[in-house]
PDB file of all heavy atoms in Angstrom:
ATOM      1  N   SER A 164      -6.498  -1.040   0.589  1.00 95.00           N
ATOM      2  CA  SER A 164      -6.285  -0.071   1.662  1.00 95.00           C
ATOM      3  C   SER A 164      -5.852  -0.779   2.943  1.00 95.00           C
ATOM      4  O   SER A 164      -4.943  -0.326   3.648  1.00 95.00           O
ATOM      5  CB  SER A 164      -7.559   0.738   1.911  1.00 95.00           C
ATOM      6  OG  SER A 164      -7.349   1.706   2.918  1.00 95.00           O
ATOM      7  N   HIS A 165      -6.476  -1.901   3.246  1.00 96.00           N
ATOM      8  CA  HIS A 165      -6.103  -2.669   4.436  1.00 96.00           C
ATOM      9  C   HIS A 165      -4.675  -3.187   4.332  1.00 96.00           C
ATOM     10  O   HIS A 165      -3.922  -3.186   5.311  1.00 96.00           O
ATOM     11  CB  HIS A 165      -7.072  -3.835   4.621  1.00 96.00           C
ATOM     12  CG  HIS A 165      -6.798  -4.681   5.814  1.00 96.00           C
ATOM     13  ND1 HIS A 165      -6.349  -5.978   5.723  1.00 96.00           N
ATOM     14  CD2 HIS A 165      -6.891  -4.416   7.144  1.00 96.00           C
ATOM     15  CE1 HIS A 165      -6.203  -6.481   6.938  1.00 96.00           C
ATOM     16  NE2 HIS A 165      -6.521  -5.560   7.818  1.00 96.00           N
ATOM     17  N   SER A 166      -4.276  -3.598   3.142  1.00 96.00           N
ATOM     18  CA  SER A 166      -2.908  -4.085   2.950  1.00 96.00           C
ATOM     19  C   SER A 166      -1.895  -2.991   3.260  1.00 96.00           C
ATOM     20  O   SER A 166      -0.909  -3.215   3.970  1.00 96.00           O
ATOM     21  CB  SER A 166      -2.722  -4.574   1.506  1.00 96.00           C
ATOM     22  OG  SER A 166      -3.467  -5.749   1.262  1.00 96.00           O
ATOM     23  N   VAL A 167      -2.134  -1.803   2.728  1.00 96.00           N
ATOM     24  CA  VAL A 167      -1.197  -0.698   2.947  1.00 96.00           C
ATOM     25  C   VAL A 167      -1.153  -0.314   4.425  1.00 96.00           C
ATOM     26  O   VAL A 167      -0.073  -0.105   5.002  1.00 96.00           O
ATOM     27  CB  VAL A 167      -1.589   0.513   2.080  1.00 96.00           C
ATOM     28  CG1 VAL A 167      -0.676   1.705   2.379  1.00 96.00           C
ATOM     29  CG2 VAL A 167      -1.511   0.159   0.591  1.00 96.00           C
ATOM     30  N   LYS A 168      -2.307  -0.221   5.058  1.00 96.00           N
ATOM     31  CA  LYS A 168      -2.372   0.192   6.459  1.00 96.00           C
ATOM     32  C   LYS A 168      -1.811  -0.856   7.415  1.00 96.00           C
ATOM     33  O   LYS A 168      -1.466  -0.529   8.558  1.00 96.00           O
ATOM     34  CB  LYS A 168      -3.817   0.513   6.832  1.00 96.00           C
ATOM     35  CG  LYS A 168      -4.361   1.753   6.145  1.00 96.00           C
ATOM     36  CD  LYS A 168      -5.836   1.949   6.430  1.00 96.00           C
ATOM     37  CE  LYS A 168      -6.365   3.182   5.720  1.00 96.00           C
ATOM     38  NZ  LYS A 168      -7.831   3.350   5.915  1.00 96.00           N
ATOM     39  N   SER A 169      -1.713  -2.097   6.968  1.00 96.00           N
ATOM     40  CA  SER A 169      -1.228  -3.180   7.833  1.00 96.00           C
ATOM     41  C   SER A 169       0.282  -3.346   7.804  1.00 96.00           C
ATOM     42  O   SER A 169       0.826  -4.174   8.539  1.00 96.00           O
ATOM     43  CB  SER A 169      -1.884  -4.503   7.420  1.00 96.00           C
ATOM     44  OG  SER A 169      -3.284  -4.447   7.565  1.00 96.00           O
ATOM     45  N   MET A 170       0.952  -2.572   6.965  1.00 97.00           N
ATOM     46  CA  MET A 170       2.377  -2.803   6.724  1.00 97.00           C
ATOM     47  C   MET A 170       3.249  -1.786   7.465  1.00 97.00           C
ATOM     48  O   MET A 170       2.904  -0.621   7.584  1.00 97.00           O
ATOM     49  CB  MET A 170       2.648  -2.741   5.222  1.00 97.00           C
ATOM     50  CG  MET A 170       3.949  -3.382   4.799  1.00 97.00           C
ATOM     51  SD  MET A 170       3.931  -3.718   3.020  1.00 97.00           S
ATOM     52  CE  MET A 170       3.600  -2.092   2.359  1.00 97.00           C
ATOM     53  N   ARG A 171       4.390  -2.252   7.927  1.00 97.00           N
ATOM     54  CA  ARG A 171       5.343  -1.378   8.606  1.00 97.00           C
ATOM     55  C   ARG A 171       5.995  -0.434   7.600  1.00 97.00           C
ATOM     56  O   ARG A 171       6.010  -0.714   6.397  1.00 97.00           O
ATOM     57  CB  ARG A 171       6.428  -2.209   9.293  1.00 97.00           C
ATOM     58  CG  ARG A 171       7.330  -2.961   8.319  1.00 97.00           C
ATOM     59  CD  ARG A 171       8.613  -3.414   8.973  1.00 97.00           C
ATOM     60  NE  ARG A 171       9.446  -4.207   8.073  1.00 97.00           N
ATOM     61  CZ  ARG A 171      10.243  -3.705   7.132  1.00 97.00           C
ATOM     62  NH1 ARG A 171      10.310  -2.389   6.945  1.00 97.00           N
ATOM     63  NH2 ARG A 171      10.978  -4.502   6.370  1.00 97.00           N
ATOM     64  N   PRO A 172       6.569   0.666   8.080  1.00 97.00           N
ATOM     65  CA  PRO A 172       7.342   1.525   7.177  1.00 97.00           C
ATOM     66  C   PRO A 172       8.467   0.734   6.509  1.00 97.00           C
ATOM     67  O   PRO A 172       9.141  -0.070   7.161  1.00 97.00           O
ATOM     68  CB  PRO A 172       7.894   2.605   8.112  1.00 97.00           C
ATOM     69  CG  PRO A 172       6.919   2.654   9.235  1.00 97.00           C
ATOM     70  CD  PRO A 172       6.459   1.237   9.434  1.00 97.00           C
ATOM     71  N   GLY A 173       8.639   0.948   5.217  1.00 97.00           N
ATOM     72  CA  GLY A 173       9.677   0.242   4.480  1.00 97.00           C
ATOM     73  C   GLY A 173       9.301  -1.145   4.041  1.00 97.00           C
ATOM     74  O   GLY A 173      10.110  -1.852   3.429  1.00 97.00           O
ATOM     75  N   GLY A 174       8.071  -1.572   4.312  1.00 97.00           N
ATOM     76  CA  GLY A 174       7.637  -2.911   3.928  1.00 97.00           C
ATOM     77  C   GLY A 174       7.311  -3.015   2.447  1.00 97.00           C
ATOM     78  O   GLY A 174       7.381  -2.038   1.695  1.00 97.00           O
ATOM     79  N   THR A 175       6.927  -4.228   2.036  1.00 98.00           N
ATOM     80  CA  THR A 175       6.689  -4.507   0.617  1.00 98.00           C
ATOM     81  C   THR A 175       5.343  -5.189   0.417  1.00 98.00           C
ATOM     82  O   THR A 175       5.043  -6.180   1.085  1.00 98.00           O
ATOM     83  CB  THR A 175       7.789  -5.424   0.043  1.00 98.00           C
ATOM     84  OG1 THR A 175       9.061  -4.799   0.210  1.00 98.00           O
ATOM     85  CG2 THR A 175       7.562  -5.694  -1.434  1.00 98.00           C
ATOM     86  N   ILE A 176       4.545  -4.629  -0.474  1.00 98.00           N
ATOM     87  CA  ILE A 176       3.351  -5.326  -0.958  1.00 98.00           C
ATOM     88  C   ILE A 176       3.723  -6.004  -2.264  1.00 98.00           C
ATOM     89  O   ILE A 176       4.217  -5.346  -3.186  1.00 98.00           O
ATOM     90  CB  ILE A 176       2.184  -4.362  -1.200  1.00 98.00           C
ATOM     91  CG1 ILE A 176       1.722  -3.718   0.098  1.00 98.00           C
ATOM     92  CG2 ILE A 176       1.013  -5.108  -1.861  1.00 98.00           C
ATOM     93  CD1 ILE A 176       0.596  -2.710  -0.092  1.00 98.00           C
ATOM     94  N   VAL A 177       3.498  -7.302  -2.331  1.00 98.00           N
ATOM     95  CA  VAL A 177       3.701  -8.032  -3.582  1.00 98.00           C
ATOM     96  C   VAL A 177       2.326  -8.368  -4.123  1.00 98.00           C
ATOM     97  O   VAL A 177       1.529  -9.020  -3.462  1.00 98.00           O
ATOM     98  CB  VAL A 177       4.532  -9.312  -3.369  1.00 98.00           C
ATOM     99  CG1 VAL A 177       4.837  -9.961  -4.716  1.00 98.00           C
ATOM    100  CG2 VAL A 177       5.820  -9.011  -2.614  1.00 98.00           C
ATOM    101  N   ILE A 178       2.053  -7.911  -5.348  1.00 97.00           N
ATOM    102  CA  ILE A 178       0.723  -8.088  -5.920  1.00 97.00           C
ATOM    103  C   ILE A 178       0.807  -8.932  -7.190  1.00 97.00           C
ATOM    104  O   ILE A 178       1.634  -8.684  -8.063  1.00 97.00           O
ATOM    105  CB  ILE A 178       0.036  -6.728  -6.194  1.00 97.00           C
ATOM    106  CG1 ILE A 178      -1.355  -6.936  -6.782  1.00 97.00           C
ATOM    107  CG2 ILE A 178       0.898  -5.821  -7.063  1.00 97.00           C
ATOM    108  CD1 ILE A 178      -2.216  -5.703  -6.807  1.00 97.00           C
ATOM    109  N   ALA A 179      -0.044  -9.953  -7.244  1.00 94.00           N
ATOM    110  CA  ALA A 179      -0.044 -10.852  -8.401  1.00 94.00           C
ATOM    111  C   ALA A 179      -1.454 -11.106  -8.911  1.00 94.00           C
ATOM    112  O   ALA A 179      -1.681 -12.059  -9.650  1.00 94.00           O
ATOM    113  CB  ALA A 179       0.625 -12.172  -8.039  1.00 94.00           C
ATOM    114  N   GLY A 180      -2.394 -10.264  -8.505  1.00 86.00           N
ATOM    115  CA  GLY A 180      -3.754 -10.462  -8.970  1.00 86.00           C
ATOM    116  C   GLY A 180      -4.675  -9.419  -8.384  1.00 86.00           C
ATOM    117  O   GLY A 180      -4.309  -8.717  -7.430  1.00 86.00           O
ATOM    118  N   ALA A 181      -5.862  -9.331  -8.941  1.00 86.00           N
ATOM    119  CA  ALA A 181      -6.850  -8.363  -8.475  1.00 86.00           C
ATOM    120  C   ALA A 181      -8.237  -8.928  -8.753  1.00 86.00           C
ATOM    121  O   ALA A 181      -8.984  -8.412  -9.570  1.00 86.00           O
ATOM    122  CB  ALA A 181      -6.658  -7.021  -9.161  1.00 86.00           C
ATOM    123  N   THR A 182      -8.579 -10.014  -8.045  1.00 81.00           N
ATOM    124  CA  THR A 182      -9.825 -10.710  -8.337  1.00 81.00           C
ATOM    125  C   THR A 182     -11.056  -9.862  -8.009  1.00 81.00           C
ATOM    126  O   THR A 182     -12.137 -10.118  -8.536  1.00 81.00           O
ATOM    127  CB  THR A 182      -9.906 -12.034  -7.556  1.00 81.00           C
ATOM    128  OG1 THR A 182      -9.741 -11.773  -6.153  1.00 81.00           O
ATOM    129  CG2 THR A 182      -8.820 -12.991  -8.007  1.00 81.00           C
ATOM    130  N   SER A 183     -10.901  -8.845  -7.145  1.00 85.00           N
ATOM    131  CA  SER A 183     -12.032  -7.973  -6.812  1.00 85.00           C
ATOM    132  C   SER A 183     -12.004  -6.672  -7.607  1.00 85.00           C
ATOM    133  O   SER A 183     -12.795  -5.765  -7.350  1.00 85.00           O
ATOM    134  CB  SER A 183     -12.035  -7.654  -5.311  1.00 85.00           C
ATOM    135  OG  SER A 183     -10.897  -6.873  -4.970  1.00 85.00           O
ATOM    136  N   GLY A 184     -11.097  -6.567  -8.570  1.00 86.00           N
ATOM    137  CA  GLY A 184     -10.973  -5.354  -9.368  1.00 86.00           C
ATOM    138  C   GLY A 184      -9.646  -4.659  -9.113  1.00 86.00           C
ATOM    139  O   GLY A 184      -9.021  -4.841  -8.067  1.00 86.00           O
ATOM    140  N   ASP A 185      -9.203  -3.852 -10.095  1.00 85.00           N
ATOM    141  CA  ASP A 185      -7.881  -3.235  -9.989  1.00 85.00           C
ATOM    142  C   ASP A 185      -7.948  -1.721  -9.785  1.00 85.00           C
ATOM    143  O   ASP A 185      -6.973  -1.012 -10.026  1.00 85.00           O
ATOM    144  CB  ASP A 185      -7.022  -3.556 -11.220  1.00 85.00           C
ATOM    145  CG  ASP A 185      -7.614  -3.006 -12.514  1.00 85.00           C
ATOM    146  OD1 ASP A 185      -8.689  -2.382 -12.461  1.00 85.00           O
ATOM    147  OD2 ASP A 185      -6.979  -3.208 -13.567  1.00 85.00           O
ATOM    148  N   ALA A 186      -9.092  -1.229  -9.329  1.00 86.00           N
ATOM    149  CA  ALA A 186      -9.234   0.216  -9.111  1.00 86.00           C
ATOM    150  C   ALA A 186      -9.744   0.475  -7.694  1.00 86.00           C
ATOM    151  O   ALA A 186     -10.936   0.725  -7.478  1.00 86.00           O
ATOM    152  CB  ALA A 186     -10.187   0.821 -10.139  1.00 86.00           C
ATOM    153  N   PRO A 187      -8.855   0.435  -6.690  1.00 89.00           N
ATOM    154  CA  PRO A 187      -9.293   0.683  -5.308  1.00 89.00           C
ATOM    155  C   PRO A 187      -9.797   2.108  -5.132  1.00 89.00           C
ATOM    156  O   PRO A 187      -9.347   3.033  -5.801  1.00 89.00           O
ATOM    157  CB  PRO A 187      -8.022   0.437  -4.489  1.00 89.00           C
ATOM    158  CG  PRO A 187      -6.903   0.637  -5.443  1.00 89.00           C
ATOM    159  CD  PRO A 187      -7.407   0.185  -6.776  1.00 89.00           C
ATOM    160  N   LYS A 188     -10.752   2.300  -4.197  1.00 85.00           N
ATOM    161  CA  LYS A 188     -11.295   3.629  -3.939  1.00 85.00           C
ATOM    162  C   LYS A 188     -10.205   4.561  -3.410  1.00 85.00           C
ATOM    163  O   LYS A 188     -10.202   5.754  -3.684  1.00 85.00           O
ATOM    164  CB  LYS A 188     -12.449   3.536  -2.941  1.00 85.00           C
ATOM    165  CG  LYS A 188     -13.684   2.845  -3.501  1.00 85.00           C
ATOM    166  CD  LYS A 188     -14.797   2.810  -2.481  1.00 85.00           C
ATOM    167  CE  LYS A 188     -16.036   2.125  -3.043  1.00 85.00           C
ATOM    168  NZ  LYS A 188     -17.144   2.055  -2.045  1.00 85.00           N
ATOM    169  N   ALA A 189      -9.301   4.003  -2.599  1.00 84.00           N
ATOM    170  CA  ALA A 189      -8.209   4.804  -2.041  1.00 84.00           C
ATOM    171  C   ALA A 189      -6.889   4.127  -2.369  1.00 84.00           C
ATOM    172  O   ALA A 189      -6.625   3.016  -1.913  1.00 84.00           O
ATOM    173  CB  ALA A 189      -8.365   4.947  -0.531  1.00 84.00           C
ATOM    174  N   ALA A 190      -6.059   4.798  -3.157  1.00 88.00           N
ATOM    175  CA  ALA A 190      -4.775   4.210  -3.535  1.00 88.00           C
ATOM    176  C   ALA A 190      -3.749   4.295  -2.418  1.00 88.00           C
ATOM    177  O   ALA A 190      -2.732   3.603  -2.454  1.00 88.00           O
ATOM    178  CB  ALA A 190      -4.235   4.900  -4.785  1.00 88.00           C
ATOM    179  N   GLU A 191      -4.014   5.140  -1.418  1.00 92.00           N
ATOM    180  CA  GLU A 191      -3.108   5.296  -0.264  1.00 92.00           C
ATOM    181  C   GLU A 191      -1.720   5.762  -0.693  1.00 92.00           C
ATOM    182  O   GLU A 191      -0.712   5.390  -0.082  1.00 92.00           O
ATOM    183  CB  GLU A 191      -3.003   3.975   0.524  1.00 92.00           C
ATOM    184  CG  GLU A 191      -4.322   3.404   1.005  1.00 92.00           C
ATOM    185  CD  GLU A 191      -4.934   4.166   2.175  1.00 92.00           C
ATOM    186  OE1 GLU A 191      -4.265   5.062   2.712  1.00 92.00           O
ATOM    187  OE2 GLU A 191      -6.089   3.870   2.531  1.00 92.00           O
ATOM    188  N   LEU A 192      -1.639   6.608  -1.711  1.00 93.00           N
ATOM    189  CA  LEU A 192      -0.334   7.017  -2.226  1.00 93.00           C
ATOM    190  C   LEU A 192       0.473   7.798  -1.196  1.00 93.00           C
ATOM    191  O   LEU A 192       1.693   7.627  -1.097  1.00 93.00           O
ATOM    192  CB  LEU A 192      -0.516   7.853  -3.500  1.00 93.00           C
ATOM    193  CG  LEU A 192      -1.133   7.128  -4.693  1.00 93.00           C
ATOM    194  CD1 LEU A 192      -1.259   8.074  -5.881  1.00 93.00           C
ATOM    195  CD2 LEU A 192      -0.327   5.901  -5.071  1.00 93.00           C
ATOM    196  N   THR A 193      -0.190   8.661  -0.423  1.00 94.00           N
ATOM    197  CA  THR A 193       0.540   9.445   0.583  1.00 94.00           C
ATOM    198  C   THR A 193       1.193   8.535   1.608  1.00 94.00           C
ATOM    199  O   THR A 193       2.367   8.708   1.968  1.00 94.00           O
ATOM    200  CB  THR A 193      -0.400  10.434   1.274  1.00 94.00           C
ATOM    201  OG1 THR A 193      -0.956  11.315   0.298  1.00 94.00           O
ATOM    202  CG2 THR A 193       0.355  11.249   2.321  1.00 94.00           C
ATOM    203  N   ARG A 194       0.450   7.559   2.092  1.00 94.00           N
ATOM    204  CA  ARG A 194       1.005   6.618   3.066  1.00 94.00           C
ATOM    205  C   ARG A 194       2.164   5.826   2.455  1.00 94.00           C
ATOM    206  O   ARG A 194       3.189   5.599   3.095  1.00 94.00           O
ATOM    207  CB  ARG A 194      -0.085   5.657   3.546  1.00 94.00           C
ATOM    208  CG  ARG A 194       0.342   4.751   4.709  1.00 94.00           C
ATOM    209  CD  ARG A 194      -0.774   3.774   5.066  1.00 94.00           C
ATOM    210  NE  ARG A 194      -1.964   4.456   5.530  1.00 94.00           N
ATOM    211  CZ  ARG A 194      -2.229   4.700   6.818  1.00 94.00           C
ATOM    212  NH1 ARG A 194      -1.362   4.328   7.747  1.00 94.00           N
ATOM    213  NH2 ARG A 194      -3.347   5.301   7.149  1.00 94.00           N
ATOM    214  N   ILE A 195       2.020   5.428   1.197  1.00 94.00           N
ATOM    215  CA  ILE A 195       3.052   4.628   0.546  1.00 94.00           C
ATOM    216  C   ILE A 195       4.359   5.411   0.428  1.00 94.00           C
ATOM    217  O   ILE A 195       5.433   4.918   0.791  1.00 94.00           O
ATOM    218  CB  ILE A 195       2.569   4.138  -0.832  1.00 94.00           C
ATOM    219  CG1 ILE A 195       1.505   3.051  -0.663  1.00 94.00           C
ATOM    220  CG2 ILE A 195       3.741   3.580  -1.654  1.00 94.00           C
ATOM    221  CD1 ILE A 195       0.810   2.648  -1.951  1.00 94.00           C
ATOM    222  N   PHE A 196       4.286   6.666  -0.065  1.00 94.00           N
ATOM    223  CA  PHE A 196       5.553   7.389  -0.238  1.00 94.00           C
ATOM    224  C   PHE A 196       6.102   7.890   1.085  1.00 94.00           C
ATOM    225  O   PHE A 196       7.321   7.885   1.308  1.00 94.00           O
ATOM    226  CB  PHE A 196       5.431   8.512  -1.276  1.00 94.00           C
ATOM    227  CG  PHE A 196       4.752   9.780  -0.839  1.00 94.00           C
ATOM    228  CD1 PHE A 196       5.372  10.664   0.051  1.00 94.00           C
ATOM    229  CD2 PHE A 196       3.521  10.131  -1.369  1.00 94.00           C
ATOM    230  CE1 PHE A 196       4.759  11.848   0.428  1.00 94.00           C
ATOM    231  CE2 PHE A 196       2.901  11.314  -0.993  1.00 94.00           C
ATOM    232  CZ  PHE A 196       3.520  12.177  -0.090  1.00 94.00           C
ATOM    233  N   PHE A 197       5.240   8.311   2.025  1.00 95.00           N
ATOM    234  CA  PHE A 197       5.736   8.853   3.283  1.00 95.00           C
ATOM    235  C   PHE A 197       6.399   7.774   4.124  1.00 95.00           C
ATOM    236  O   PHE A 197       7.399   8.033   4.822  1.00 95.00           O
ATOM    237  CB  PHE A 197       4.592   9.520   4.059  1.00 95.00           C
ATOM    238  CG  PHE A 197       5.041  10.283   5.266  1.00 95.00           C
ATOM    239  CD1 PHE A 197       5.701  11.502   5.141  1.00 95.00           C
ATOM    240  CD2 PHE A 197       4.825   9.778   6.547  1.00 95.00           C
ATOM    241  CE1 PHE A 197       6.126  12.208   6.256  1.00 95.00           C
ATOM    242  CE2 PHE A 197       5.250  10.468   7.663  1.00 95.00           C
ATOM    243  CZ  PHE A 197       5.903  11.692   7.521  1.00 95.00           C
ATOM    244  N   GLN A 198       5.859   6.556   4.072  1.00 95.00           N
ATOM    245  CA  GLN A 198       6.436   5.461   4.846  1.00 95.00           C
ATOM    246  C   GLN A 198       7.375   4.594   4.008  1.00 95.00           C
ATOM    247  O   GLN A 198       7.802   3.531   4.453  1.00 95.00           O
ATOM    248  CB  GLN A 198       5.318   4.612   5.463  1.00 95.00           C
ATOM    249  CG  GLN A 198       4.474   5.413   6.447  1.00 95.00           C
ATOM    250  CD  GLN A 198       3.619   4.548   7.333  1.00 95.00           C
ATOM    251  OE1 GLN A 198       3.735   3.315   7.350  1.00 95.00           O
ATOM    252  NE2 GLN A 198       2.739   5.162   8.098  1.00 95.00           N
ATOM    253  N   GLN A 199       7.704   5.081   2.824  1.00 97.00           N
ATOM    254  CA  GLN A 199       8.706   4.451   1.965  1.00 97.00           C
ATOM    255  C   GLN A 199       8.437   2.961   1.741  1.00 97.00           C
ATOM    256  O   GLN A 199       9.335   2.120   1.810  1.00 97.00           O
ATOM    257  CB  GLN A 199      10.105   4.671   2.543  1.00 97.00           C
ATOM    258  CG  GLN A 199      10.470   6.142   2.684  1.00 97.00           C
ATOM    259  CD  GLN A 199      11.891   6.352   3.143  1.00 97.00           C
ATOM    260  OE1 GLN A 199      12.822   6.182   2.362  1.00 97.00           O
ATOM    261  NE2 GLN A 199      12.041   6.701   4.416  1.00 97.00           N
ATOM    262  N   MET A 200       7.188   2.663   1.469  1.00 97.00           N
ATOM    263  CA  MET A 200       6.791   1.289   1.167  1.00 97.00           C
ATOM    264  C   MET A 200       7.091   0.970  -0.286  1.00 97.00           C
ATOM    265  O   MET A 200       7.232   1.856  -1.120  1.00 97.00           O
ATOM    266  CB  MET A 200       5.297   1.108   1.450  1.00 97.00           C
ATOM    267  CG  MET A 200       4.923   1.324   2.904  1.00 97.00           C
ATOM    268  SD  MET A 200       3.129   1.373   3.119  1.00 97.00           S
ATOM    269  CE  MET A 200       3.015   1.426   4.917  1.00 97.00           C
ATOM    270  N   ARG A 201       7.188  -0.313  -0.577  1.00 97.00           N
ATOM    271  CA  ARG A 201       7.427  -0.763  -1.941  1.00 97.00           C
ATOM    272  C   ARG A 201       6.229  -1.573  -2.433  1.00 97.00           C
ATOM    273  O   ARG A 201       5.664  -2.359  -1.668  1.00 97.00           O
ATOM    274  CB  ARG A 201       8.700  -1.624  -2.006  1.00 97.00           C
ATOM    275  CG  ARG A 201       9.982  -0.841  -1.839  1.00 97.00           C
ATOM    276  CD  ARG A 201      11.206  -1.749  -1.905  1.00 97.00           C
ATOM    277  NE  ARG A 201      11.286  -2.588  -0.716  1.00 97.00           N
ATOM    278  CZ  ARG A 201      11.876  -2.199   0.416  1.00 97.00           C
ATOM    279  NH1 ARG A 201      12.414  -1.006   0.510  1.00 97.00           N
ATOM    280  NH2 ARG A 201      11.924  -3.005   1.449  1.00 97.00           N
ATOM    281  N   VAL A 202       5.871  -1.366  -3.678  1.00 96.00           N
ATOM    282  CA  VAL A 202       4.825  -2.163  -4.328  1.00 96.00           C
ATOM    283  C   VAL A 202       5.497  -2.924  -5.459  1.00 96.00           C
ATOM    284  O   VAL A 202       6.058  -2.328  -6.377  1.00 96.00           O
ATOM    285  CB  VAL A 202       3.694  -1.277  -4.869  1.00 96.00           C
ATOM    286  CG1 VAL A 202       2.660  -2.137  -5.594  1.00 96.00           C
ATOM    287  CG2 VAL A 202       3.046  -0.488  -3.734  1.00 96.00           C
TER     288      VAL A 202
END
């Protein structure tokens, strides 16, 4: 959630691991599509 909220519109999250687990409580999907972010 912090990663998504820290990124500018149109930015990119690059993910290569999930040492704390791969099921976040909040996927932040609305923020991702509305701000046209890339995962």
Side-chain angles (χ1 to χ4, degrees):
S164 182
H165 181 249
S166 291
V167 176
K168 292 174 181 176
S169 299
M170 199 162 56
R171 66 163 176 80
T175 301
I176 295 178
V177 186
I178 180 167
T182 55
S183 66
D185 62 0
K188 291 181 180 179
E191 304 287 352
L192 296 180
T193 300
R194 188 183 297 267
I195 288 171
F196 78 72
F197 189 73
Q198 297 195 8
Q199 301 185 75
M200 298 170 173
R201 288 180 290 274
V202 177

